[in-house]
Amino acid sequence: MSELRFAQLSRALRRQGVAARHARRAALEMSGHYHQLRLQALARGEPPDQAARAAHEAMGADAVLIERYAGRRELRGWLYRWPAVYAVAPLASFAVLCVSIMALLVLVLNGLQLLVHHLAVPAAVAMAVNSVFVVALQWVLPVLVGAGFALLASRRPVALRWLIASVLLVCLTARLMNSGLMLPIPGQRGSATLGIGIRFRTLALQLTGTLITAALALAPYFIVRHRSGWRRSLPS
Amino acid sequence: MGERDPTLMAGVPELVVLRLLAEREMYGYEIARTLKVLSRETLSLGEGVLYPALHAMEARGLLRPRPRQVEGRTRIYYQLTARGHRRLERLTANWQRMSAGVARILGTSDHE
């Protein structure tokens, strides 16, 4: 029972935004403290089960401890001390992923051209590859990045406004991007392009796309929150 | 044990913990026990106050934690850092100045 109590304490502290190292150490120290109190009760001549109960009671309610830890800013994880990071981190991750994918593709294609001197694919294949690439980079990737950060946030008390702002930012960036991957076709060299810009003519369309991808990215978050709320409401 | 007024306790846990650790390194339970004994049960820091305070002092660079294996269990011993020593000197001076002032006022009131 005692180990379970301290494992639960560690999890509860982390859920309240306490940094992982402090949560782990608090559980370890509280477990040691409990052990000492139990030994003290045993030395007084109390039977083992009564000694364990007395030690648990002497330590008081975990809720008080959790509140005290969570109330100290210096003990909170960096994400909780600077929640605005949540608005920037997904965008930074998305940008790093895009640039990395492009760099990798350029490297692979250049390598292939060195090996196969006259590498060329039919135009239809090149167009199909380009379409798949654009969908993957500008639709699938932002949804995955947004959903990943949203799921991470669902396990922490991150304010919903930061989460929504961050997902919208990623999806908007993806919609404003221009990307392309044209494999070499007969008589034409291949190319990879990545840029960003606003086209006012299609702005409404881009904003609609932003909202659709953001909704897709946020859907798993709301499903998880809904399910955990539903589980909590079940009678124990 | 006398009644404890929380409004008089502000800053006391930090001062007494730093003072104890200036003597030698200790772990949480040992600190709680020693405080109780030395203060003749006037001061008693519950786990809910002691451990968050220790962690906060460590986060501010006043203490350094050192895990040690004792009888198959890991104990976290706390040592005072140089910054902790300076903080203790400041807090002690403040406390002595304040308690002397309060003692003078209480003494004056007794005479009137």
Side-chain angles (χ1 to χ4, degrees):
Chain A
M1 181 208 169
S2 64
E3 292 314 312
L4 180 70
R5 174 183 174 176
F6 301 117
Q8 281 172 343
L9 172 69
S10 177
R11 278 198 294 274
L13 285 169
R14 289 191 68 178
R15 268 200 305 275
Q16 289 302 311
V18 174
R21 70 190 182 95
H22 287 298
R24 271 197 306 271
R25 213 167 69 209
L28 182 77
E29 289 179 305
M30 292 298 281
S31 164
H33 202 105
Y34 159 81
H35 180 68
Q36 296 272 7
L37 288 173
R38 197 175 63 89
L39 288 180
Q40 208 182 335
L42 287 172
R44 282 197 303 264
E46 290 179 25
D49 57 334
Q50 203 176 316
R53 210 167 30 249
H56 273 298
E57 280 169 15
M59 292 187 71
D62 287 348
V64 176
L65 186 84
I66 292 166
E67 195 186 321
R68 292 242 164 86
Y69 267 98
R72 286 185 181 264
R73 194 175 183 272
E74 62 268 48
L75 301 183
R76 296 172 82 82
W78 61 272
L79 268 179
Y80 303 96
R81 274 184 278 172
W82 298 286
V85 167
Y86 242 90
V88 183
L91 182 63
S93 308
F94 179 65
V96 167
L97 276 171
C98 284
V99 172
S100 307
I101 288 168
M102 290 304 282
L104 193 71
L105 281 171
V106 169
L107 275 174
V108 168
L109 289 174
N110 276 344
L112 272 177
Q113 267 185 334
L114 284 176
L115 287 172
V116 187
H117 294 290
H118 299 291
L119 175 72
V121 295
V125 173
M127 293 298 284
V129 168
N130 182 52
S131 300
V132 169
F133 174 76
V134 170
V135 168
L137 200 74
Q138 291 183 234
W139 290 88
V140 179
L141 191 64
V143 170
L144 289 180
V145 169
F149 273 91
L151 285 175
L152 206 66
S154 70
R155 298 166 63 184
R156 312 249 183 281
V158 175
L160 191 61
R161 64 177 181 279
W162 291 119
L163 178 64
I164 291 176
S166 70
V167 171
L168 278 173
L169 212 56
V170 168
C171 295
L172 180 65
T173 307
R175 297 274 49 79
L176 297 179
M177 269 170 42
N178 306 304
S179 64
L181 176 72
M182 284 304 290
L183 294 176
I185 54 174
Q188 197 178 317
R189 288 171 63 90
S191 67
T193 54
L194 183 64
I196 191 162
I198 297 176
R199 255 177 290 163
F200 289 102
R201 206 160 40 89
T202 55
L203 194 61
L205 204 63
Q206 286 171 328
L207 290 177
T208 309
T210 300
L211 292 177
I212 291 169
T213 43
L216 287 171
L218 287 168
Y221 169 84
F222 286 109
I223 291 169
V224 167
R225 290 298 293 253
H226 178 73
R227 279 195 184 159
S228 58
W230 174 72
R231 259 191 230 117
R232 268 199 296 273
S233 67
L234 284 176
S236 53
Chain B
M1 198 168 10
E3 186 191 339
R4 262 183 232 113
D5 186 342
T7 55
L8 294 177
M9 284 291 286
V12 173
E14 186 181 349
L15 172 62
V16 293
V17 167
L18 289 176
R19 180 68 188 88
L20 283 188
L21 294 176
E23 296 290 320
R24 62 183 170 89
E25 62 174 23
M26 289 187 191
Y27 63 99
Y29 177 80
E30 191 182 9
I31 295 171
R33 287 277 300 167
T34 312
L35 272 179
K36 217 169 175 178
V37 172
L38 288 182
S39 69
R40 293 179 193 158
E41 306 219 351
T42 313
L43 285 177
S44 164
L45 294 185
E47 299 79 17
V49 173
L50 178 62
Y51 290 104
L54 285 171
H55 286 215
M57 283 188 263
E58 184 245 316
R60 284 158 52 207
L62 306 177
L63 304 180
R64 188 180 303 116
R66 232 163 51 88
R68 260 204 245 163
Q69 285 293 321
V70 181
E71 293 162 8
R73 300 185 76 91
T74 307
R75 268 186 199 162
I76 311 290
Y77 281 81
Y78 290 92
Q79 289 181 323
L80 218 60
T81 61
R83 190 187 283 185
H85 279 288
R86 287 196 297 274
R87 174 82 177 149
L88 173 63
E89 280 170 23
R90 254 199 322 276
L91 285 178
T92 307
N94 285 348
W95 178 264
Q96 284 167 344
R97 202 170 47 245
M98 198 180 70
S99 60
V102 172
R104 273 196 296 276
I105 290 167
L106 293 178
T108 311
S109 307
D110 283 348
H111 293 297
E112 281 172 358

